[in-house]
Structure formats: structure tokens, C-alpha cells
Amino acid sequence: MRKPLARKSTAKIRTGCAVVASSMIVLGLLVAAPAVADTGTESPLAAVVEATPETANDAAQVVTRTTGENAIDATVSDVRIVVPTDPTDDISLETEGGAFSVLLPFSEEADDASVEKRGVVSYDNNNGSVSVPVVTNDGSLQINTVIANPTAPTRYGYELTIPDGGQIVPAGEAFFVVNADGEPVTVINPPWAKDARGAQIPTRYELSGTTLTQVVDLSAVSAFPVVADPQFAWYGPMPSVKLARAETKTATTLTGMATVCGWVARYTSYVGGALCAANAGSIIYNAQRIYFTEKRCAQLLIAPGVIGTVGYSGGYCK
């Protein structure tokens, strides 16, 4: 029943796993009651608002319903986002870079969508967790997972459908989804998780094929619910820096990164050498693979707070 958007052909690779967590919900003018520590919360929206009050008001004021095929079908900041009522259908997004989709966690066991607010729905996974997708005003999607108690799952895996020929590119703790031409389709921001008192909870991503799993460590949590998330963000056309073969070789060593970061600072006003330096380890790792194994050239993709590295051939690659 999964229906990815039809803008481009897509290759769907399924690997099992559960599905991840997320953040970004809408409050509007409401003031949510605080989440209940230790025993969970009756309201998944209240839990998300408590965890991320700075983003709560950013939910898009789009039509949101529980009848029909889709709970949300809207274009926000030039991104089309479709959120189904049936959790076994994918959430679909279409940006300038292409179309991709996300399968929710525990979709086979989850209830159909409930409306929390405009731009926000929830799916009860019936296992101590609730998935709460939020469409935000900048065209991003955050899929919050509200974890009610210590017996709930600790692994939440997103199964992604990416454009034909595309790839998921590690960038530190974040990821870029790119199309066959190396153009960004979306940025998956670094993971986070918080307990009911606002304390940061250890969490990480694991990537296997096209399944991105968020692992949340509940072992030391004393105040439930925990809220965790991945965010699929769209920042519009993103600047990039293409390196020639010799320049790519320079990027394969720590000493060469000073030169590379100088190029980044010179050729893009979006981010300077400091951001490049912060992502040096990821750039070196990917540049080594691209230069020595793939025999291609590196292209640096730049988004707020992160730089991703993809390989390319032809053109400047000589």
C-alpha cells in the first residue's frame, strides 16, 4: 500500500527494523501541561512540547484530518509532504532534489493517525511508544517518538525510499540523502533524545542499507516519557564545493584539511572554515573512499551545521 510520490522513479530497499524517533510539534497559542515524570504522559503532544518548546510553534497550519487516504497532503516552503492516515503507508516528501519516503516505526502494529493539531498527527504503536510526525513551516518533517516507560523498545528504525541511483551519505552524526547527480534531497539532522526533566539521553543512529535506526539508551532514565527524533530537513538549494582529483587527494589527510577548509571558506559565504574543521574527520574518511576506492572526486555538500561528502565524475574531476 505504500505510495511514494511520482516525481522521479525510486528504488525501495527494505531491511527490517523498527522506526525512529523525532521532534518538532505545534502548539499554536495553547500552553501544554507538563509531561508526567516516571509514569508517562496521557498526551503525546504535551510530551513533545515539553521536550522542544522552541519548535512547538513552528508546525505548519495545514489541513489535518483522520478521514480519507491522507491525514496531511500539503506543499510547505516548496516541499510537498504527504502523511497517510494508515501507518503502513509511507510518509512521502518531494523537494527540488527529488522524491523520497519514510516508513514509520512498528507500522504493522500501530493505530491509524489521530489529529493532535494542525500539522501534527500521532500513531499509537501499542508498545509503550507513540510516533508523532510534525510538518513544520520550513518544509521539514520531524517524526517524534514519545517513549512512555522503560519496557518500551529502544530501537526505532526508519526504512527509507530514495531516488534511483541516489545514496545516503554520512556527515558526522548527520546524513545527506542525495539523488543520482549528487544533489541533496534532504538532510537528516543529528539525533537527540530528552527525558521528562529535560536531561539529554544517550542516543545514536545506525545505518544499514536504507534503514536508519535510532537507538535510545533508556537504562538510566528516571523521568518518563522520553522524546527522541530524527528531522528530515530541507534548506533549499544548498551550496557545494567540487574538488578536482588532486584536491580530493589533499582532503584525504588531516594536514591537507587546513587547505581544504580554506577553499570552503573562500568559495562559500554560507559556512566558513570552522564548520569544515568540525567535520574534518567525516570529510577525510569519505575523501579516502572516494579517491582510493572509487577513483573519483569529492564534492562537499554544505548545510547548516554540517558538511557531507559525495563522489562525482566528469567535468571538474580531472
Side-chain angles (χ1 to χ4, degrees):
M1 292 179 63
R2 297 165 192 148
K3 311 170 189 67
L5 295 176
R7 181 173 181 268
K8 292 191 178 184
S9 63
T10 56
K12 179 169 291 187
I13 306 174
R14 300 291 188 198
T15 56
C17 255
V19 176
V20 92
S22 210
S23 114
M24 230 181 207
I25 285 197
V26 61
L27 222 206
L29 299 177
L30 291 179
V31 177
V36 179
D38 300 316
T39 59
T41 180
E42 295 181 1
S43 168
L45 177 60
V48 176
V49 169
E50 186 74 9
T52 59
E54 69 282 0
T55 61
N57 288 319
D58 200 37
Q61 297 298 296
V62 296
V63 174
T64 308
R65 54 184 162 228
T66 56
T67 58
E69 184 177 359
N70 297 317
I72 299 172
D73 186 346
T75 298
V76 182
S77 296
D78 298 323
V79 179
R80 185 186 175 199
I81 303 178
V82 177
V83 180
T85 53
D86 184 344
T88 64
D89 290 342
D90 290 4
I91 296 177
S92 299
L93 298 92
E94 185 175 3
T95 72
E96 290 182 23
F100 74 104
S101 61
V102 184
L103 181 64
L104 285 169
F106 309 107
S107 58
E108 296 293 337
E109 295 81 30
D111 295 339
D112 285 353
S114 296
V115 174
E116 296 291 335
K117 200 166 179 152
R118 280 181 174 265
V120 184
V121 300
S122 65
Y123 305 84
D124 189 339
N125 296 323
N126 297 300
N127 60 5
S129 71
V130 180
S131 298
V132 189
V134 182
V135 177
T136 58
N137 285 316
D138 62 358
S140 297
L141 171 73
Q142 286 195 274
I143 306 174
N144 302 270
T145 292
V146 178
I147 304 170
N149 57 61
T151 64
T154 59
R155 299 178 64 86
Y156 298 84
Y158 286 97
E159 297 177 35
L160 308 180
T161 299
I162 64 176
D164 255 349
Q167 57 182 314
I168 303 171
V169 180
E173 292 185 333
F175 293 87
F176 284 80
V177 176
V178 301
N179 61 25
D181 296 323
E183 300 167 340
V185 177
T186 191
V187 178
I188 305 172
N189 284 330
W192 62 265
K194 291 182 180 179
D195 71 9
R197 295 192 178 101
Q200 297 289 338
I201 302 303
T203 185
R204 68 182 187 277
Y205 285 144
E206 294 178 357
L207 180 64
S208 176
T210 55
T211 296
L212 183 72
T213 300
Q214 185 171 11
V215 182
V216 184
D217 183 358
L218 302 179
S219 60
V221 175
S222 61
F224 285 88
V226 168
V227 178
D229 91 304
Q231 181 194 27
F232 300 87
W234 172 245
Y235 299 109
M238 301 173 201
S240 67
V241 177
K242 287 187 174 181
L243 306 182
R245 279 288 289 168
E247 294 166 340
T248 301
K249 185 177 182 180
T250 299
T252 63
T253 66
L254 184 58
T255 54
M257 280 307 301
T259 301
V260 173
C261 291
W263 296 332
V264 172
R266 185 187 320 154
Y267 292 121
T268 172
S269 59
Y270 192 85
V271 66
L275 177 57
C276 179
N279 289 268
S282 174
I283 295 171
I284 292 170
Y285 175 82
N286 287 297
Q288 289 174 344
R289 170 180 51 80
I290 291 164
Y291 183 83
F292 294 110
T293 304
E294 299 179 6
K295 310 297 184 185
R296 298 198 294 165
C297 298
Q299 178 178 352
L300 306 182
L301 307 173
I302 303 166
V306 67
I307 297 179
T309 312
V310 297
Y312 79 98
S313 302
Y316 189 61
C317 183
K318 54 189 178 183

